[in-house]
Amino acid sequence: MAESESQEGNYDNTGNKVQNFETDMEELLDEMEKLTVHTAWMAYDCIHIQTNPDLHNTVQRLQGAYLTCKEQMEKEWQEVLLE
């Protein structure tokens, strides 16, 4: 009698393990899908940048303008603090 009760417990435990395994696998597959899509977009962006040199130049000019603006804002902020 005790054996049959422990065997039923083992079956329940095995069922839970299988359910947990299936859930974990679904979550991993979803995450892999997201990473695959992200990687595909990164590859697309890299190819787009390599085939369009104007884009690279524009990004460099924007970065330079941003740094100049940031530097000017820091100077003005320091002046405000000193007043």
Side-chain angles (χ1 to χ4, degrees):
M1 184 75 112
E3 279 185 35
S4 66
E5 286 177 10
S6 73
Q7 286 178 353
E8 285 177 19
N10 286 341
Y11 290 132
D12 289 341
N13 192 19
T14 302
N16 288 338
K17 285 182 182 179
V18 169
Q19 182 63 37
N20 290 341
F21 175 76
E22 289 174 356
T23 303
D24 290 345
M25 288 302 292
E26 285 178 16
E27 290 174 3
L28 286 172
L29 286 173
D30 285 343
E31 188 64 28
M32 284 177 60
E33 243 178 78
K34 290 175 188 175
L35 289 172
T36 301
V37 169
H38 185 72
T39 303
W41 277 111
M42 285 176 56
Y44 173 80
D45 290 342
C46 287
I47 290 169
H48 185 65
I49 289 171
Q50 289 175 355
T51 57
N52 187 357
D54 290 336
L55 182 62
H56 179 69
N57 295 336
T58 302
V59 170
Q60 283 184 333
R61 283 189 298 137
L62 282 172
Q63 185 178 14
Y66 167 76
L67 292 174
T68 303
C69 182
K70 181 180 173 185
E71 192 175 296
Q72 186 64 32
M73 292 297 290
E74 287 175 357
K75 285 179 186 176
E76 289 183 19
W77 177 250
Q78 291 299 324
E79 290 174 6
V80 168
L81 289 177
L82 291 175
E83 291 178 359

